[in-house]
């Protein structure tokens, strides 16, 4: 079974506006910590005055301040530096399933990616996408702008529910082997992807990337069993058994706690998203959590 969806750009535009409002309400810019660096050069953002040293550009001399101080002072600037933001988006038949809220998993994956891409594009950064594609990977390189946004989201839409021979862990290894640049990485996955993360891969990623994981919370097996082959819910004898549900819940909790323990070693962050109505506060929480941790 293969569903055909077109990204709902109108909905994504509304989510973009909501996300920007929420992030502005919390802080001036949640990506700002990674987006600025100080170096000698020309910029619109004045940083401070310091004494002239050989090699400084004479155009940076502040003559009025130098006259008052009795020594030659130059202006230094805080220069904007574009981020490189990579979206690593999990795919496969498992994405045809539902969430713990009963909502569509593919839909939330698409909306999550779209909302974050909008935020990153608004910030003026370059961003790229990689997801599984059969026996290989679909990769769209770093750029920006609305056309680039639509290209990336459409690429993910084409591949999100197709079966792949590669795991999320293998895709992350591919990223560490092939994409050698400083990056912010958003990983959109599920409990299966989180459970199978490799410590060595996390360590290698941390050498050149700030990494944030988003776990799309799957439907519980012992509440509603969804058969992705038939596209239907199956009745099982143990369904809605509180003891089995609690055991499944505790098993997931253990996986997430272990993953967070490993991620903290490498200054990575994890956030669970259960439904579309909670997406914006969940993303704000993820960004704040990562900023505070670093």
């Amino acid at each position: 079974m293969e569903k055909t969806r077109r990204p709902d750009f109108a909905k994504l535009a509304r989510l973009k506006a909501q996300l920007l409002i929420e992030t502005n309400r919390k802080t001036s810019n949640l990506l700002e910590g990674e987006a600025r660096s100080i170096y000698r050069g020309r910029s619109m953002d004045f940083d401070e005055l310091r004494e002239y040293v050989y090699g400084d550009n004479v155009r940076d001399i502040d003559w009025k301040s130098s006259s008052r101080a009795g020594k030659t002072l130059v202006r230094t600037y805080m220069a904007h530096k574009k981020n490189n933001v990579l979206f690593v988006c999990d795919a496969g038949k498992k994405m045809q399933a539902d969430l713990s809220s009963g909502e569509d998993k593919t839909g939330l994956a698409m909306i999550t990616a779209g909302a974050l891409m909008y935020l990153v594009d608004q910030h003026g950064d370059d961003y790229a996408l990689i997801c599984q594609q059969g026996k290989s990977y679909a990769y769209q390189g770093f750029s920006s702008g609305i056309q680039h946004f639509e290209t990336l989201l459409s690429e993910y839409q084409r591949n999100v529910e197709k079966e792949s021979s590669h795991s999320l862990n293998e895709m992350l290894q591919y990223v560490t082997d092939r994409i050698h640049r400083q990056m912010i990485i958003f990983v959109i996955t599920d409990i299966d992807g989180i459970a199978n993360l490799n410590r060595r891969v996390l360590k290698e990623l941390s050498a050149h990337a700030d990494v944030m994981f988003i776990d799309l919370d799957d439907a519980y097996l012992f509440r509603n069993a969804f058969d992705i082959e038939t596209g239907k819910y199956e009745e099982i004898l143990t369904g809605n058994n509180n003891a089995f549900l609690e055991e499944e819940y505790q098993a997931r909790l253990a996986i997430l706690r272990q993953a967070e323990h490993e991620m903290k070693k490498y200054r990575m962050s994890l956030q669970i998203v259960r439904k579309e109505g909670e997406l914006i506060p969940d993303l704000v929480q993820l960004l704040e959590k990562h900023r505070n941790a670093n």
Side-chain angles (χ1 to χ4, degrees):
M1 181 187 69
E2 184 175 330
K3 307 172 192 174
T4 301
R5 289 187 183 85
R6 175 170 174 75
D8 188 342
F9 293 114
K11 178 185 286 186
L12 287 169
R14 291 193 296 272
L15 281 169
K16 167 204 172 184
Q18 186 182 351
L19 182 56
L20 290 173
I21 290 170
E22 289 290 339
T23 54
N24 287 336
R25 187 177 297 159
K26 299 289 185 179
T27 181
S28 60
N29 202 321
L30 286 165
L31 295 178
E32 199 68 21
E34 292 83 16
R36 299 167 72 89
S37 64
I38 301 173
Y39 65 92
R40 292 177 188 157
R42 306 291 297 178
S43 172
M44 296 302 292
D45 294 337
F46 170 71
D47 181 32
E48 63 180 359
L49 290 170
R50 61 166 174 78
E51 192 167 357
Y52 175 87
V53 296
Y54 179 77
D56 285 338
N57 194 320
V58 294
R59 290 181 298 176
D60 291 333
I61 296 174
D62 188 318
W63 296 106
K64 288 184 178 180
S65 297
S66 298
S67 177
R68 288 195 297 268
K71 55 185 176 182
T72 305
L73 300 175
V74 295
R75 289 176 174 267
T76 61
Y77 297 87
M78 183 76 75
H80 287 276
K81 180 181 179 182
K82 277 191 175 184
N83 288 316
N84 293 304
V85 183
L86 177 65
F87 291 90
V88 179
C89 298
D90 210 351
K93 281 190 176 181
K94 64 179 184 175
M95 303 303 287
Q96 295 177 11
D98 282 353
L99 301 162
S100 59
S101 62
E103 294 180 8
D104 177 59
K105 188 176 178 182
T106 298
L108 188 59
M110 295 286 299
I111 290 169
T112 302
L116 284 169
M117 286 180 191
Y118 259 129
L119 177 63
V120 169
D121 194 74
Q122 178 74 22
H123 192 261
D125 296 323
D126 288 334
Y127 52 102
L129 166 80
I130 186 169
C131 64
Q132 296 102 325
Q133 185 183 59
K135 296 181 179 180
S136 185
Y137 302 102
Y139 175 68
Q140 294 287 336
F142 291 91
S143 188
S144 60
I146 189 62
Q147 184 174 353
H148 183 62
F149 163 80
E150 293 187 3
T151 297
L152 265 60
L153 204 58
S154 295
E155 185 69 29
Y156 188 34
Q157 182 266 329
R158 281 194 295 271
N159 293 287
V160 63
E161 293 181 339
K162 293 180 180 177
E163 192 53 279
S164 171
S165 57
H166 295 289
S167 67
L168 173 69
N169 203 68
E170 291 171 329
M171 184 161 57
L172 291 173
Q173 183 64 63
Y174 180 90
V175 168
T176 64
D177 293 341
R178 302 293 182 90
I179 307 177
H180 302 291
R181 62 173 73 193
Q182 293 294 319
M183 295 181 291
I184 296 172
I185 299 178
F186 289 102
V187 182
I188 299 174
T189 184
D190 57 12
I191 193 66
D192 176 69
I194 297 295
N196 291 290
L197 289 172
N198 183 281
R199 180 186 299 179
R200 178 177 56 81
V201 173
L202 293 180
K203 184 177 181 180
E204 291 178 1
L205 276 177
S206 68
H208 59 87
D210 284 300
V211 187
M212 286 167 270
F213 288 86
I214 298 164
D215 169 33
L216 305 177
D217 195 42
D218 286 284
Y220 280 81
L221 175 63
F222 291 107
R223 179 178 295 149
N224 293 301
F226 184 80
D227 188 337
I228 60 176
E229 296 296 335
T230 63
K232 298 178 181 178
Y233 285 95
E234 301 292 338
E235 292 187 10
I236 54 176
L237 295 177
T238 55
N240 292 309
N241 183 300
N242 289 334
F244 284 111
L245 280 170
E246 179 62 22
E247 187 172 343
E248 184 177 4
Y249 172 78
Q250 292 299 330
R252 287 196 193 187
L253 189 61
I255 290 170
L256 293 170
R257 282 177 175 171
Q258 178 62 31
E260 284 192 307
H261 176 73
E262 292 297 327
M263 290 176 188
K264 282 181 180 178
K265 297 178 183 177
Y266 308 111
R267 295 185 176 182
M268 298 177 180
S269 303
L270 170 66
Q271 180 68 36
I272 302 171
V273 177
R274 295 180 174 87
K275 56 184 178 180
E276 184 179 326
E278 297 174 355
L279 175 62
I280 301 304
D282 283 342
L283 293 181
V284 170
Q285 184 177 346
L286 172 65
L287 292 166
E288 288 191 318
K289 185 190 302 182
H290 192 73
R291 185 190 60 176
N292 294 334
N294 287 275

